[in-house]
Structure formats: structure tokens, C-alpha cells
mmCIF file of all heavy atoms in Angstrom:
data_model
loop_
_atom_site.group_PDB
_atom_site.id
_atom_site.type_symbol
_atom_site.label_atom_id
_atom_site.label_comp_id
_atom_site.label_asym_id
_atom_site.label_seq_id
_atom_site.Cartn_x
_atom_site.Cartn_y
_atom_site.Cartn_z
ATOM 1 N N ASP A 1 23.243 0.442 -15.205
ATOM 2 C CA ASP A 1 22.076 -0.371 -15.072
ATOM 3 C C ASP A 1 20.849 0.251 -14.458
ATOM 4 O O ASP A 1 19.697 0.076 -14.877
ATOM 5 C CB ASP A 1 22.456 -1.613 -14.098
ATOM 6 C CG ASP A 1 23.312 -2.574 -14.880
ATOM 7 O OD1 ASP A 1 23.248 -2.647 -16.148
ATOM 8 O OD2 ASP A 1 23.906 -3.418 -14.158
ATOM 9 N N MET A 2 21.175 1.109 -13.469
ATOM 10 C CA MET A 2 19.939 1.862 -12.774
ATOM 11 C C MET A 2 19.355 2.845 -13.832
ATOM 12 O O MET A 2 18.156 2.975 -13.831
ATOM 13 C CB MET A 2 20.534 2.627 -11.660
ATOM 14 C CG MET A 2 20.825 1.669 -10.468
ATOM 15 S SD MET A 2 19.394 0.923 -9.807
ATOM 16 C CE MET A 2 18.605 2.332 -9.148
ATOM 17 N N GLU A 3 20.157 3.539 -14.608
ATOM 18 C CA GLU A 3 19.619 4.459 -15.650
ATOM 19 C C GLU A 3 18.795 3.805 -16.776
ATOM 20 O O GLU A 3 17.884 4.309 -17.252
ATOM 21 C CB GLU A 3 20.725 5.210 -16.286
ATOM 22 C CG GLU A 3 21.300 6.323 -15.301
ATOM 23 C CD GLU A 3 22.516 7.041 -15.898
ATOM 24 O OE1 GLU A 3 23.061 6.571 -16.812
ATOM 25 O OE2 GLU A 3 22.940 8.090 -15.306
ATOM 26 N N ASN A 4 19.075 2.527 -16.930
ATOM 27 C CA ASN A 4 18.429 1.732 -18.012
ATOM 28 C C ASN A 4 17.213 0.925 -17.460
ATOM 29 O O ASN A 4 16.443 0.338 -18.151
ATOM 30 C CB ASN A 4 19.358 0.789 -18.740
ATOM 31 C CG ASN A 4 20.421 1.419 -19.596
ATOM 32 O OD1 ASN A 4 20.105 2.623 -20.173
ATOM 33 N ND2 ASN A 4 21.573 0.929 -19.753
ATOM 34 N N ALA A 5 17.169 0.974 -16.113
ATOM 35 C CA ALA A 5 16.038 0.171 -15.468
ATOM 36 C C ALA A 5 14.668 0.737 -15.627
ATOM 37 O O ALA A 5 14.413 1.858 -15.428
ATOM 38 C CB ALA A 5 16.360 0.037 -13.987
ATOM 39 N N LYS A 6 13.707 -0.062 -16.146
ATOM 40 C CA LYS A 6 12.397 0.314 -16.147
ATOM 41 C C LYS A 6 11.609 -0.496 -15.082
ATOM 42 O O LYS A 6 11.762 -1.597 -14.805
ATOM 43 C CB LYS A 6 11.791 -0.062 -17.543
ATOM 44 C CG LYS A 6 12.499 0.752 -18.773
ATOM 45 C CD LYS A 6 11.784 0.324 -20.019
ATOM 46 C CE LYS A 6 12.460 1.196 -21.220
ATOM 47 N NZ LYS A 6 13.783 1.041 -21.347
ATOM 48 N N PRO A 7 10.622 0.233 -14.318
ATOM 49 C CA PRO A 7 10.132 -0.464 -13.143
ATOM 50 C C PRO A 7 8.932 -1.463 -13.611
ATOM 51 O O PRO A 7 8.205 -1.255 -14.702
ATOM 52 C CB PRO A 7 9.351 0.753 -12.584
ATOM 53 C CG PRO A 7 8.977 1.691 -13.620
ATOM 54 C CD PRO A 7 10.273 1.570 -14.636
ATOM 55 N N VAL A 8 9.030 -2.703 -13.053
ATOM 56 C CA VAL A 8 7.919 -3.582 -13.191
ATOM 57 C C VAL A 8 6.877 -3.332 -12.086
ATOM 58 O O VAL A 8 7.134 -3.447 -10.803
ATOM 59 C CB VAL A 8 8.539 -5.050 -13.009
ATOM 60 C CG1 VAL A 8 7.197 -6.051 -13.230
ATOM 61 C CG2 VAL A 8 9.462 -5.336 -14.243
ATOM 62 N N LEU A 9 5.763 -2.838 -12.409
ATOM 63 C CA LEU A 9 4.722 -2.308 -11.424
ATOM 64 C C LEU A 9 3.667 -3.408 -11.120
ATOM 65 O O LEU A 9 3.094 -4.102 -12.021
ATOM 66 C CB LEU A 9 4.194 -1.195 -12.043
ATOM 67 C CG LEU A 9 5.223 0.020 -12.289
ATOM 68 C CD1 LEU A 9 4.345 1.178 -13.017
ATOM 69 C CD2 LEU A 9 5.668 0.668 -10.895
ATOM 70 N N LYS A 10 3.327 -3.387 -9.854
ATOM 71 C CA LYS A 10 2.195 -4.020 -9.390
ATOM 72 C C LYS A 10 1.078 -3.187 -8.970
ATOM 73 O O LYS A 10 1.308 -2.080 -8.316
ATOM 74 C CB LYS A 10 2.535 -4.871 -8.131
ATOM 75 C CG LYS A 10 1.391 -5.799 -7.472
ATOM 76 C CD LYS A 10 1.773 -6.697 -6.421
ATOM 77 C CE LYS A 10 0.575 -7.250 -5.712
ATOM 78 N NZ LYS A 10 -0.089 -8.125 -6.664
ATOM 79 N N LYS A 11 -0.166 -3.410 -9.296
ATOM 80 C CA LYS A 11 -1.252 -2.578 -9.147
ATOM 81 C C LYS A 11 -2.054 -2.975 -7.822
ATOM 82 O O LYS A 11 -2.110 -4.183 -7.451
ATOM 83 C CB LYS A 11 -2.273 -2.700 -10.216
ATOM 84 C CG LYS A 11 -1.741 -1.982 -11.534
ATOM 85 C CD LYS A 11 -2.777 -2.165 -12.613
ATOM 86 C CE LYS A 11 -2.290 -1.446 -13.921
ATOM 87 N NZ LYS A 11 -1.138 -1.827 -14.452
ATOM 88 N N PHE A 12 -2.540 -1.851 -6.998
ATOM 89 C CA PHE A 12 -3.269 -2.111 -5.894
ATOM 90 C C PHE A 12 -4.493 -1.174 -5.942
ATOM 91 O O PHE A 12 -4.414 -0.120 -6.352
ATOM 92 C CB PHE A 12 -2.494 -1.613 -4.630
ATOM 93 C CG PHE A 12 -1.181 -2.465 -4.365
ATOM 94 C CD1 PHE A 12 0.009 -2.155 -5.052
ATOM 95 C CD2 PHE A 12 -1.162 -3.458 -3.564
ATOM 96 C CE1 PHE A 12 1.172 -2.786 -4.815
ATOM 97 C CE2 PHE A 12 0.099 -4.184 -3.306
ATOM 98 C CZ PHE A 12 1.173 -3.969 -4.070
ATOM 99 N N LYS A 13 -5.528 -1.821 -5.440
ATOM 100 C CA LYS A 13 -6.804 -1.005 -5.284
ATOM 101 C C LYS A 13 -6.732 0.123 -4.373
ATOM 102 O O LYS A 13 -6.322 -0.153 -3.244
ATOM 103 C CB LYS A 13 -7.962 -1.938 -5.038
ATOM 104 C CG LYS A 13 -9.309 -1.249 -5.060
ATOM 105 C CD LYS A 13 -10.424 -2.317 -4.776
ATOM 106 C CE LYS A 13 -11.897 -1.703 -4.906
ATOM 107 N NZ LYS A 13 -12.921 -2.562 -4.501
ATOM 108 N N GLY A 14 -7.084 1.367 -4.742
ATOM 109 C CA GLY A 14 -7.175 2.470 -3.748
ATOM 110 C C GLY A 14 -8.287 2.373 -2.807
ATOM 111 O O GLY A 14 -9.228 1.539 -2.925
ATOM 112 N N TRP A 15 -8.214 3.204 -1.742
ATOM 113 C CA TRP A 15 -9.243 3.065 -0.613
ATOM 114 C C TRP A 15 -10.311 4.215 -0.606
ATOM 115 O O TRP A 15 -11.275 4.127 -0.022
ATOM 116 C CB TRP A 15 -8.521 2.996 0.755
ATOM 117 C CG TRP A 15 -7.406 3.921 0.955
ATOM 118 C CD1 TRP A 15 -7.484 5.198 1.290
ATOM 119 C CD2 TRP A 15 -6.056 3.683 0.755
ATOM 120 N NE1 TRP A 15 -6.141 5.744 1.406
ATOM 121 C CE2 TRP A 15 -5.327 4.789 0.929
ATOM 122 C CE3 TRP A 15 -5.405 2.604 0.190
ATOM 123 C CZ2 TRP A 15 -3.824 4.870 0.824
ATOM 124 C CZ3 TRP A 15 -4.075 2.598 -0.088
ATOM 125 C CH2 TRP A 15 -3.178 3.794 0.340
ATOM 126 N N LYS A 16 -9.969 5.333 -1.463
ATOM 127 C CA LYS A 16 -10.964 6.277 -1.682
ATOM 128 C C LYS A 16 -11.701 6.867 -0.442
ATOM 129 O O LYS A 16 -12.952 7.116 -0.380
ATOM 130 C CB LYS A 16 -12.080 5.657 -2.776
ATOM 131 C CG LYS A 16 -11.521 5.444 -4.032
ATOM 132 C CD LYS A 16 -11.064 6.762 -4.818
ATOM 133 C CE LYS A 16 -12.395 7.423 -5.326
ATOM 134 N NZ LYS A 16 -12.200 8.704 -6.055
ATOM 135 N N THR A 17 -10.946 6.988 0.610
ATOM 136 C CA THR A 17 -11.387 7.591 1.800
ATOM 137 C C THR A 17 -10.312 8.169 2.611
ATOM 138 O O THR A 17 -9.185 7.853 2.396
ATOM 139 C CB THR A 17 -12.274 6.533 2.634
ATOM 140 O OG1 THR A 17 -12.910 7.165 3.719
ATOM 141 C CG2 THR A 17 -11.192 5.559 3.291
ATOM 142 N N SER A 18 -10.809 9.165 3.351
ATOM 143 C CA SER A 18 -9.617 9.983 4.232
ATOM 144 C C SER A 18 -9.155 9.100 5.252
ATOM 145 O O SER A 18 -9.904 8.509 5.978
ATOM 146 C CB SER A 18 -10.254 11.329 4.706
ATOM 147 O OG SER A 18 -9.337 11.913 5.555
ATOM 148 N N LEU A 19 -7.706 9.189 5.519
ATOM 149 C CA LEU A 19 -7.210 8.454 6.607
ATOM 150 C C LEU A 19 -6.766 9.389 7.826
ATOM 151 O O LEU A 19 -6.254 8.935 8.771
ATOM 152 C CB LEU A 19 -5.899 7.653 6.081
ATOM 153 C CG LEU A 19 -5.963 6.722 5.054
ATOM 154 C CD1 LEU A 19 -4.671 6.069 4.734
ATOM 155 C CD2 LEU A 19 -7.093 5.614 5.213
ATOM 156 N N LYS A 20 -7.078 10.532 7.610
ATOM 157 C CA LYS A 20 -6.660 11.684 8.561
ATOM 158 C C LYS A 20 -6.972 11.308 10.091
ATOM 159 O O LYS A 20 -6.130 11.709 10.891
ATOM 160 C CB LYS A 20 -7.203 12.973 8.176
ATOM 161 C CG LYS A 20 -6.514 13.675 7.079
ATOM 162 C CD LYS A 20 -5.119 14.350 7.460
ATOM 163 C CE LYS A 20 -4.558 15.050 6.306
ATOM 164 N NZ LYS A 20 -3.296 15.483 6.693
ATOM 165 N N LYS A 21 -8.092 10.751 10.247
ATOM 166 C CA LYS A 21 -8.554 10.500 11.709
ATOM 167 C C LYS A 21 -8.309 9.012 12.233
ATOM 168 O O LYS A 21 -8.722 8.712 13.352
ATOM 169 C CB LYS A 21 -10.058 10.847 11.783
ATOM 170 C CG LYS A 21 -10.212 12.293 11.549
ATOM 171 C CD LYS A 21 -11.702 12.796 11.897
ATOM 172 C CE LYS A 21 -11.911 14.162 11.753
ATOM 173 N NZ LYS A 21 -13.291 14.607 12.023
ATOM 174 N N VAL A 22 -7.705 8.210 11.344
ATOM 175 C CA VAL A 22 -7.348 6.848 11.664
ATOM 176 C C VAL A 22 -6.243 6.825 12.658
ATOM 177 O O VAL A 22 -5.173 7.507 12.466
ATOM 178 C CB VAL A 22 -6.973 5.972 10.401
ATOM 179 C CG1 VAL A 22 -6.590 4.602 10.846
ATOM 180 C CG2 VAL A 22 -8.160 5.955 9.529
ATOM 181 N N ARG A 23 -6.371 6.101 13.705
ATOM 182 C CA ARG A 23 -5.391 6.119 14.891
ATOM 183 C C ARG A 23 -4.982 4.663 15.291
ATOM 184 O O ARG A 23 -4.310 4.547 16.324
ATOM 185 C CB ARG A 23 -5.923 6.940 16.114
ATOM 186 C CG ARG A 23 -6.034 8.331 15.872
ATOM 187 C CD ARG A 23 -4.694 9.112 15.497
ATOM 188 N NE ARG A 23 -4.875 10.515 15.205
ATOM 189 C CZ ARG A 23 -5.110 11.053 14.107
ATOM 190 N NH1 ARG A 23 -5.158 10.267 12.957
ATOM 191 N NH2 ARG A 23 -5.259 12.327 14.068
ATOM 192 N N ASP A 24 -5.406 3.687 14.645
ATOM 193 C CA ASP A 24 -4.943 2.357 14.795
ATOM 194 C C ASP A 24 -5.132 1.502 13.489
ATOM 195 O O ASP A 24 -5.892 1.870 12.592
ATOM 196 C CB ASP A 24 -5.792 1.619 15.946
ATOM 197 C CG ASP A 24 -7.316 1.419 15.673
ATOM 198 O OD1 ASP A 24 -7.592 0.582 14.917
ATOM 199 O OD2 ASP A 24 -8.112 2.336 16.115
ATOM 200 N N TYR A 25 -4.295 0.438 13.466
ATOM 201 C CA TYR A 25 -4.122 -0.259 12.154
ATOM 202 C C TYR A 25 -5.551 -0.938 11.824
ATOM 203 O O TYR A 25 -5.819 -0.929 10.643
ATOM 204 C CB TYR A 25 -3.077 -1.319 12.350
ATOM 205 C CG TYR A 25 -2.725 -2.121 11.140
ATOM 206 C CD1 TYR A 25 -1.909 -1.470 10.158
ATOM 207 C CD2 TYR A 25 -3.150 -3.483 10.938
ATOM 208 C CE1 TYR A 25 -1.740 -2.176 8.963
ATOM 209 C CE2 TYR A 25 -2.861 -3.989 9.786
ATOM 210 C CZ TYR A 25 -2.121 -3.460 8.653
ATOM 211 O OH TYR A 25 -1.828 -4.066 7.580
ATOM 212 N N GLU A 26 -6.180 -1.422 12.687
ATOM 213 C CA GLU A 26 -7.381 -2.187 12.304
ATOM 214 C C GLU A 26 -8.455 -1.216 11.716
ATOM 215 O O GLU A 26 -9.344 -1.712 11.026
ATOM 216 C CB GLU A 26 -8.046 -2.808 13.699
ATOM 217 C CG GLU A 26 -7.107 -4.004 14.136
ATOM 218 C CD GLU A 26 -5.824 -3.548 14.786
ATOM 219 O OE1 GLU A 26 -5.773 -2.515 15.308
ATOM 220 O OE2 GLU A 26 -4.922 -4.446 14.766
ATOM 221 N N SER A 27 -8.351 0.083 11.971
ATOM 222 C CA SER A 27 -9.392 0.989 11.471
ATOM 223 C C SER A 27 -9.008 1.375 10.102
ATOM 224 O O SER A 27 -9.775 2.114 9.391
ATOM 225 C CB SER A 27 -9.430 2.196 12.345
ATOM 226 O OG SER A 27 -9.730 1.975 13.655
ATOM 227 N N LEU A 28 -7.844 1.096 9.523
ATOM 228 C CA LEU A 28 -7.519 1.344 8.071
ATOM 229 C C LEU A 28 -8.409 0.570 7.241
ATOM 230 O O LEU A 28 -8.798 -0.541 7.529
ATOM 231 C CB LEU A 28 -6.066 0.931 7.867
ATOM 232 C CG LEU A 28 -4.887 1.858 8.318
ATOM 233 C CD1 LEU A 28 -3.615 1.256 8.087
ATOM 234 C CD2 LEU A 28 -4.922 3.271 7.658
ATOM 235 N N PRO A 29 -8.781 1.123 6.058
ATOM 236 C CA PRO A 29 -9.500 0.352 5.120
ATOM 237 C C PRO A 29 -8.764 -0.751 4.740
ATOM 238 O O PRO A 29 -7.537 -0.786 4.661
ATOM 239 C CB PRO A 29 -9.631 1.420 3.935
ATOM 240 C CG PRO A 29 -9.402 2.792 4.457
ATOM 241 C CD PRO A 29 -8.441 2.551 5.649
ATOM 242 N N LYS A 30 -9.409 -1.914 4.292
ATOM 243 C CA LYS A 30 -8.776 -3.039 3.785
ATOM 244 C C LYS A 30 -7.809 -2.903 2.751
ATOM 245 O O LYS A 30 -6.762 -3.472 2.739
ATOM 246 C CB LYS A 30 -9.840 -4.158 3.333
ATOM 247 C CG LYS A 30 -9.252 -5.536 2.923
ATOM 248 C CD LYS A 30 -10.363 -6.375 2.517
ATOM 249 C CE LYS A 30 -9.757 -7.783 2.202
ATOM 250 N NZ LYS A 30 -8.679 -7.676 1.133
ATOM 251 N N GLU A 31 -8.104 -1.997 1.817
ATOM 252 C CA GLU A 31 -7.170 -1.818 0.767
ATOM 253 C C GLU A 31 -5.843 -1.086 1.195
ATOM 254 O O GLU A 31 -4.789 -1.561 0.703
ATOM 255 C CB GLU A 31 -7.794 -0.797 -0.408
ATOM 256 C CG GLU A 31 -9.046 -1.427 -1.052
ATOM 257 C CD GLU A 31 -10.364 -1.225 -0.257
ATOM 258 O OE1 GLU A 31 -10.248 -0.709 0.956
ATOM 259 O OE2 GLU A 31 -11.359 -1.826 -0.699
ATOM 260 N N ALA A 32 -5.850 -0.313 2.085
ATOM 261 C CA ALA A 32 -4.765 0.311 2.787
ATOM 262 C C ALA A 32 -3.906 -0.880 3.476
ATOM 263 O O ALA A 32 -2.476 -0.944 3.335
ATOM 264 C CB ALA A 32 -4.909 1.421 3.636
ATOM 265 N N ARG A 33 -4.522 -1.665 4.219
ATOM 266 C CA ARG A 33 -3.916 -2.825 4.878
ATOM 267 C C ARG A 33 -3.300 -3.794 3.918
ATOM 268 O O ARG A 33 -2.155 -4.277 4.187
ATOM 269 C CB ARG A 33 -4.774 -3.464 5.927
ATOM 270 C CG ARG A 33 -5.132 -2.711 7.201
ATOM 271 C CD ARG A 33 -5.943 -3.414 8.111
ATOM 272 N NE ARG A 33 -7.336 -3.225 7.859
ATOM 273 C CZ ARG A 33 -8.174 -4.189 7.492
ATOM 274 N NH1 ARG A 33 -7.803 -5.462 7.364
ATOM 275 N NH2 ARG A 33 -9.520 -4.004 7.241
ATOM 276 N N ASP A 34 -3.982 -4.077 2.768
ATOM 277 C CA ASP A 34 -3.396 -4.918 1.733
ATOM 278 C C ASP A 34 -2.053 -4.401 1.315
ATOM 279 O O ASP A 34 -1.188 -5.022 1.037
ATOM 280 C CB ASP A 34 -4.383 -5.191 0.673
ATOM 281 C CG ASP A 34 -5.592 -5.950 0.971
ATOM 282 O OD1 ASP A 34 -5.526 -6.672 2.177
ATOM 283 O OD2 ASP A 34 -6.609 -6.047 0.336
ATOM 284 N N TYR A 35 -2.128 -3.110 1.080
ATOM 285 C CA TYR A 35 -0.908 -2.367 0.435
ATOM 286 C C TYR A 35 0.240 -2.507 1.471
ATOM 287 O O TYR A 35 1.443 -2.829 1.195
ATOM 288 C CB TYR A 35 -1.291 -0.925 0.288
ATOM 289 C CG TYR A 35 -0.144 -0.025 -0.445
ATOM 290 C CD1 TYR A 35 0.571 -0.433 -1.531
ATOM 291 C CD2 TYR A 35 0.301 1.150 0.151
ATOM 292 C CE1 TYR A 35 1.364 0.281 -2.183
ATOM 293 C CE2 TYR A 35 1.264 1.970 -0.367
ATOM 294 C CZ TYR A 35 1.867 1.455 -1.571
ATOM 295 O OH TYR A 35 2.751 2.216 -2.112
ATOM 296 N N ILE A 36 0.080 -2.209 2.715
ATOM 297 C CA ILE A 36 1.040 -2.265 3.857
ATOM 298 C C ILE A 36 1.540 -3.652 3.901
ATOM 299 O O ILE A 36 2.720 -3.892 4.042
ATOM 300 C CB ILE A 36 0.403 -1.695 5.062
ATOM 301 C CG1 ILE A 36 0.250 -0.207 4.875
ATOM 302 C CG2 ILE A 36 1.282 -1.977 6.305
ATOM 303 C CD1 ILE A 36 -0.627 0.307 6.142
ATOM 304 N N GLU A 37 0.595 -4.685 3.953
ATOM 305 C CA GLU A 37 1.043 -6.115 4.147
ATOM 306 C C GLU A 37 1.812 -6.604 3.050
ATOM 307 O O GLU A 37 2.725 -7.412 3.277
ATOM 308 C CB GLU A 37 -0.206 -6.855 4.433
ATOM 309 C CG GLU A 37 -0.784 -6.738 5.974
ATOM 310 C CD GLU A 37 -2.128 -7.113 6.095
ATOM 311 O OE1 GLU A 37 -2.502 -7.909 5.441
ATOM 312 O OE2 GLU A 37 -2.717 -6.624 7.065
ATOM 313 N N PHE A 38 1.561 -6.064 1.882
ATOM 314 C CA PHE A 38 2.383 -6.522 0.752
ATOM 315 C C PHE A 38 3.890 -5.990 0.876
ATOM 316 O O PHE A 38 4.771 -6.712 0.562
ATOM 317 C CB PHE A 38 1.740 -6.090 -0.596
ATOM 318 C CG PHE A 38 2.570 -6.409 -1.796
ATOM 319 C CD1 PHE A 38 2.227 -7.762 -2.524
ATOM 320 C CD2 PHE A 38 3.592 -5.784 -2.301
ATOM 321 C CE1 PHE A 38 3.100 -8.219 -3.544
ATOM 322 C CE2 PHE A 38 4.435 -6.234 -3.424
ATOM 323 C CZ PHE A 38 4.121 -7.461 -4.047
ATOM 324 N N ILE A 39 3.965 -4.781 1.253
ATOM 325 C CA ILE A 39 5.238 -4.145 1.578
ATOM 326 C C ILE A 39 5.977 -4.985 2.541
ATOM 327 O O ILE A 39 7.174 -5.209 2.453
ATOM 328 C CB ILE A 39 5.066 -2.688 1.939
ATOM 329 C CG1 ILE A 39 4.511 -1.841 0.851
ATOM 330 C CG2 ILE A 39 6.410 -2.109 2.498
ATOM 331 C CD1 ILE A 39 4.045 -0.365 1.251
ATOM 332 N N GLU A 40 5.393 -5.285 3.724
ATOM 333 C CA GLU A 40 5.989 -6.180 4.732
ATOM 334 C C GLU A 40 6.487 -7.395 4.098
ATOM 335 O O GLU A 40 7.567 -7.870 4.510
ATOM 336 C CB GLU A 40 4.972 -6.294 5.782
ATOM 337 C CG GLU A 40 4.715 -5.019 6.634
ATOM 338 C CD GLU A 40 3.567 -5.304 7.698
ATOM 339 O OE1 GLU A 40 2.645 -6.124 7.440
ATOM 340 O OE2 GLU A 40 3.844 -4.650 8.871
ATOM 341 N N ASP A 41 5.670 -8.054 3.478
ATOM 342 C CA ASP A 41 5.950 -9.510 2.861
ATOM 343 C C ASP A 41 7.200 -9.232 1.912
ATOM 344 O O ASP A 41 8.175 -10.082 1.936
ATOM 345 C CB ASP A 41 4.820 -10.045 2.359
ATOM 346 C CG ASP A 41 3.774 -10.508 3.323
ATOM 347 O OD1 ASP A 41 4.024 -10.765 4.438
ATOM 348 O OD2 ASP A 41 2.612 -10.774 2.784
ATOM 349 N N PHE A 42 7.141 -8.342 1.076
ATOM 350 C CA PHE A 42 8.168 -8.144 0.162
ATOM 351 C C PHE A 42 9.605 -7.818 0.799
ATOM 352 O O PHE A 42 10.525 -8.432 0.332
ATOM 353 C CB PHE A 42 7.819 -7.017 -0.904
ATOM 354 C CG PHE A 42 8.703 -6.942 -1.990
ATOM 355 C CD1 PHE A 42 8.302 -7.564 -3.184
ATOM 356 C CD2 PHE A 42 9.928 -6.142 -2.067
ATOM 357 C CE1 PHE A 42 9.174 -7.521 -4.371
ATOM 358 C CE2 PHE A 42 10.557 -6.020 -3.144
ATOM 359 C CZ PHE A 42 10.367 -6.683 -4.338
ATOM 360 N N CYS A 43 9.545 -6.993 1.735
ATOM 361 C CA CYS A 43 10.769 -6.469 2.447
ATOM 362 C C CYS A 43 11.158 -7.345 3.528
ATOM 363 O O CYS A 43 12.415 -7.290 3.981
ATOM 364 C CB CYS A 43 10.562 -4.971 2.984
ATOM 365 S SG CYS A 43 10.463 -3.901 1.613
#
């Protein structure tokens, strides 16, 4: 089943900026927070 499985993909908008200096959640771009919050809700 796993070998025959094809992924059903959901698209997310990228944030197009460096996260290297981000040190708190609120400072993340909205697009990155949207991605993370979807992961949290799904899992």
C-alpha cells in the first residue's frame, strides 16, 4: 500500500525572506505561521 501511495498535496504560500535572525514566534512571517499552524491542527 505504501509503495502504491501517491501524495495528495496541499499548497502553501512561501514567505520569501530569511528566518535566520528570527527568535520568537510572533516575528515569523505570516506565511510561515500559517504553515506551522496547519501542521498543528492536522496533527
Side-chain angles (χ1 to χ4, degrees):
D1 281 344
M2 290 294 295
E3 288 175 340
N4 291 329
K6 296 179 176 63
V8 178
L9 298 172
K10 178 177 173 60
K11 293 179 171 60
F12 299 85
K13 187 179 179 182
W15 41 91
K16 297 285 291 178
T17 188
S18 175
L19 303 182
K20 284 286 188 181
K21 295 186 178 180
V22 175
R23 294 296 180 268
D24 63 82
Y25 186 74
E26 289 71 27
S27 298
L28 285 172
K30 181 180 181 302
E31 294 82 2
R33 285 185 275 116
D34 288 345
Y35 183 56
I36 293 167
E37 286 161 21
F38 183 88
I39 294 169
E40 292 179 320
D41 289 342
F42 190 95
C43 295

